[in-house]
Amino acid sequence: MENERIVVLDFGGQYKQLIARRVREQNVYCEIFPSEIGIEKLKELSPQGIILTGGPNSVYAPESPRFDPGIFNLGIPVLGICYGSQLMAYLLGGEVKSAPVSEYGHTEVCIDKPDSLIFKDIPSSGGSSKITSWMSHTDYIAKAPAGFEVTAHTSNCPVAGMEAPEKKLYAVQFHPEVMHTEYGAGMIRRFVIDVCGCSGSWKMASFAEKTIKELREKIGSDRVLLGLSGGVDSTVTAVLLSKAIGKQLYCVFVDHGLMRKNEGDEVEAVFGPGGRFEDLNFIRVNAADEYFEMLKGVEEPEEKRKLIGNKFVEIFGKEAKRLAGTGGFKYMAQGTIYPDVVESGTGKDGAVIKSHHNVGGLPRDLVVELGFDEEPVEPLRALFKDEVRKTGLELGIPSELVNRQPFPGPGLGIRVVGEVTPEKVAMVQEADAIYREELTQAGIDTGKGQFFAALSNMRSVGVMGDFRTYDYAVVLRGVITTDFMTAEAAEIPWTVLQTCMNRIINEVKGVNRVLYDLTSKPPGTIEME
């Protein structure tokens, strides 16, 4: 059914996006909302189910996030996860205590009620079963509320799962959304399909057609301005808008000098005159010198992100003012996708993982001055990265563009650890080009994740020929992921890594060491900064 929806309430949990992604994998639409959402808003959304995320707080702390316990009486199924399970127990009269032994990471969970709907996929023997789960908590449920049955436990957590099926209330202390939990995806599926009664009929297939129609109706004969980076998100956004309104779309490409090798020219070749998608107005602004001057002496990652984002707004704003003199614009468009929205914070309890310069649009005074509608056009705002790619293929965008390696808005500014200089960017560009070339020649499927070179801030002693060197270390990063919410390091053959190392050290001036990053996400992020 088109109107089926699961709502995820965010209590500051680091895995909130994963929960939403796992629900969408069941072909059920899902959105994340701040925990402080009111009960009337929830009624208005009319979800088939509600999932409460984990979070870093204790339910007893005065500043800990809460919500209206009346939600439990709406007749809507609720699944509490980690902090969400503790909050459910606490608000309904159970007992939550500080754990004598905190549980973090892989933990064995004993399933006490294998016939529970959400444990339906877990094989049992003799009326019980055990699974390996992912735990992350310091408090625990010591006693379930009246009317609840304990469905799981661990050696340190007496209530690792509980349920009141007649009230459609379920809770688990562990994280079923994380890949480290056995049968976790099945638990999410059973809650969404069996408990909530969703049909699982939401598909991406109709998204492009529906969105083009909606864009055409919304925009009418007005003009739209888009900041085009040439990445997957902005490319799909540009093509959607181009198919909807054609030459009414103006795309401003700000070349900040922080792109991959030759990429600025490649973007122009695709969208400029004579390019594959020329049914739009393409404007290129070369601004590398301004960016490098601005970044002198700046080392802190979040500061770099904000400076790069603010400079984009400044330059984009100047160009917007110039273009506005040719007829004016009603709308600004952005390639915002769902992880951008969530990582920038969903509410007062939502953690800001990192800033995204394409969330929030231009400053209000500039929006007013230019006459833009206050709400930007963001056709991809509800999609995850893999869903954006599917949409791109549906639009007829060649797979080499749709499946190109993801690239962050701040560009190489966050793939150079520490201060960003033209010399360091050149090192990364050359090393990255070599890395990608060797991966292609080796036949490694880079479409399954993200592969890139970065420059560490570490300098070390080396020997080249008969001379001592004191140069930088390049870090090669390769991760396998489908949703970019979690990722594992790619197992690149040793011979390929050795070839990359030899070429980079011999061909890239200023580099005398090459490292391979094995860190997964979590605990790391995919990008270096």
Side-chain angles (χ1 to χ4, degrees):
M1 294 171 60
E2 285 289 327
N3 59 348
E4 287 182 344
R5 183 202 312 260
I6 298 293
V7 164
V8 174
L9 295 187
D10 176 22
F11 292 92
Q14 60 180 319
Y15 301 135
K16 57 198 169 197
Q17 296 184 55
L18 265 181
I19 297 172
R21 190 67 194 91
R22 296 295 176 252
V23 172
R24 290 196 189 183
E25 287 173 356
Q26 309 309 321
N27 294 320
V28 176
Y29 186 67
C30 182
E31 285 186 88
I32 302 171
F33 290 89
S35 61
E36 62 265 26
I37 188 173
I39 197 166
E40 293 305 316
K41 176 62 176 178
L42 268 178
K43 289 179 181 178
E44 181 184 322
L45 290 169
S46 189
Q48 273 59 52
I50 299 169
I51 299 179
L52 314 178
T53 75
N57 300 92
S58 168
V59 295
Y60 293 109
E63 71 280 4
S64 65
R66 295 278 195 276
F67 71 152
D68 190 334
I71 288 174
F72 296 126
N73 299 319
L74 293 177
I76 300 172
V78 180
L79 171 64
I81 295 174
C82 196
Y83 176 85
S85 71
Q86 297 167 11
L87 188 60
M88 180 186 291
Y90 177 73
L91 292 176
L92 293 176
E95 187 177 359
V96 178
K97 290 184 176 180
S98 179
V101 179
S102 298
E103 292 179 317
Y104 182 82
H106 294 97
T107 304
E108 186 178 76
V109 174
C110 297
I111 306 299
D112 301 314
K113 189 181 179 185
D115 60 343
S116 166
L117 277 180
I118 64 170
F119 296 149
K120 189 174 179 180
D121 293 322
I122 300 175
S124 64
S125 176
S128 65
S129 57
K130 295 181 180 179
I131 62 169
T132 298
S133 73
W134 188 260
M135 287 281 194
S136 179
H137 70 99
T138 52
D139 287 356
Y140 72 103
I141 302 171
K143 182 179 178 181
F148 278 76
E149 182 178 356
V150 175
T151 58
H153 73 277
T154 73
S155 58
N156 295 308
C157 184
V159 186
M162 65 180 191
E163 67 178 23
E166 67 285 354
K167 297 179 181 178
K168 302 179 182 178
L169 303 179
Y170 297 80
V172 291
Q173 179 62 71
F174 52 87
H175 290 272
E177 71 276 17
V178 176
M179 68 175 70
H180 305 296
T181 294
E182 292 182 295
Y183 306 102
M187 296 176 205
I188 298 291
R189 176 172 179 78
R190 292 308 172 190
F191 175 73
V192 170
I193 303 298
D194 293 357
V195 177
C196 299
C198 294
S199 64
S201 59
W202 181 70
K203 304 286 185 182
M204 287 298 302
S206 61
F207 177 83
E209 180 181 349
K210 178 182 177 183
T211 300
I212 290 169
K213 181 180 178 182
E214 290 174 349
L215 288 170
R216 191 174 290 134
E217 291 175 353
K218 174 183 176 70
I219 296 167
S221 60
D222 291 306
R223 300 201 309 176
V224 177
L225 190 62
L226 168 68
L228 177 66
S229 70
V232 176
D233 304 334
S234 67
T235 294
V236 175
T237 299
V239 175
L240 276 170
L241 284 162
S242 178
K243 287 182 178 291
I245 61 173
K247 288 289 187 180
Q248 294 166 234
L249 174 64
Y250 287 70
C251 295
V252 174
F253 168 49
V254 178
D255 186 348
H256 46 33
L258 303 173
M259 303 188 75
R260 289 169 287 207
K261 186 177 180 179
N262 300 327
E263 199 159 42
D265 294 338
E266 292 171 2
V267 171
E268 184 168 5
V270 171
F271 291 100
R276 188 184 297 269
F277 301 108
E278 62 175 345
D279 190 25
L280 46 78
N281 301 283
F282 177 82
I283 301 97
R284 179 176 180 174
V285 181
N286 295 308
D289 290 344
E290 290 185 55
Y291 275 87
F292 285 123
E293 182 64 30
M294 173 193 68
L295 291 169
K296 281 183 178 178
V298 180
E299 297 186 1
E300 204 279 320
E302 188 67 5
E303 185 180 359
K304 286 196 289 186
R305 283 181 175 273
K306 289 180 178 178
L307 284 172
I308 292 169
N310 290 339
K311 177 60 72 171
F312 167 81
V313 169
E314 176 189 327
I315 295 172
F316 183 83
K318 288 180 182 177
E319 196 61 28
K321 290 178 183 179
R322 185 186 70 80
L323 291 171
T326 65
F329 297 91
K330 182 174 182 181
Y331 297 105
M332 180 181 69
Q334 296 180 161
T336 310
I337 65 174
Y338 204 41
D340 296 341
V341 176
V342 178
E343 287 188 340
S344 293
T346 58
K348 67 181 179 66
D349 298 314
V352 177
I353 299 171
K354 54 187 176 181
S355 299
H356 290 267
H357 73 269
N358 60 333
V359 177
L362 298 175
R364 180 175 174 78
D365 57 346
L366 187 57
V367 168
V368 173
E369 180 182 348
L370 292 170
F372 283 123
D373 190 274
E374 290 192 15
E375 289 295 321
V377 174
E378 298 173 313
L380 306 180
R381 187 179 178 87
L383 302 188
F384 285 93
K385 178 70 77 173
D386 59 317
E387 295 168 337
V388 174
R389 294 188 192 280
K390 290 178 183 177
T391 300
L393 293 173
E394 183 186 342
L395 288 168
I397 302 174
S399 61
E400 61 266 24
L401 291 181
V402 172
N403 293 318
R404 72 188 305 178
Q405 287 289 291
F407 196 62
L412 299 181
I414 57 171
R415 290 183 182 175
V416 172
V417 178
E419 183 183 13
V420 180
T421 67
E423 295 75 21
K424 289 182 178 180
V425 168
M427 290 183 209
V428 177
Q429 288 175 330
E430 294 299 328
D432 183 72
I434 291 170
Y435 183 40
R436 288 185 287 124
E437 180 182 324
E438 291 300 330
L439 291 176
T440 299
Q441 289 192 9
I444 293 173
D445 184 3
T446 57
K448 292 182 178 179
Q450 190 165 332
F451 298 75
F452 61 89
L455 189 70
S456 75
N457 204 23
M458 180 187 82
R459 298 181 73 185
S460 61
V461 174
V463 178
M464 297 184 73
D466 295 324
F467 296 96
R468 174 188 183 275
T469 62
Y470 187 63
D471 289 329
Y472 287 97
V474 159
V475 179
L476 302 181
R477 181 83 162 129
V479 298
I480 302 299
T481 181
T482 57
D483 51 32
F484 292 84
M485 302 299 102
T486 61
E488 296 289 343
E491 295 185 22
I492 299 174
W494 185 251
T495 54
V496 177
L497 289 175
Q498 281 188 312
T499 300
C500 291
M501 178 271 294
N502 283 324
R503 284 196 60 192
I504 289 170
I505 288 176
N506 281 287
E507 298 176 32
V508 182
K509 185 178 180 181
V511 175
N512 69 354
R513 198 174 293 267
V514 175
L515 313 175
Y516 187 65
D517 186 351
L518 293 173
T519 313
S520 62
K521 176 184 180 180
T525 57
I526 291 177
E527 293 293 341
M528 293 297 291
E529 293 190 328

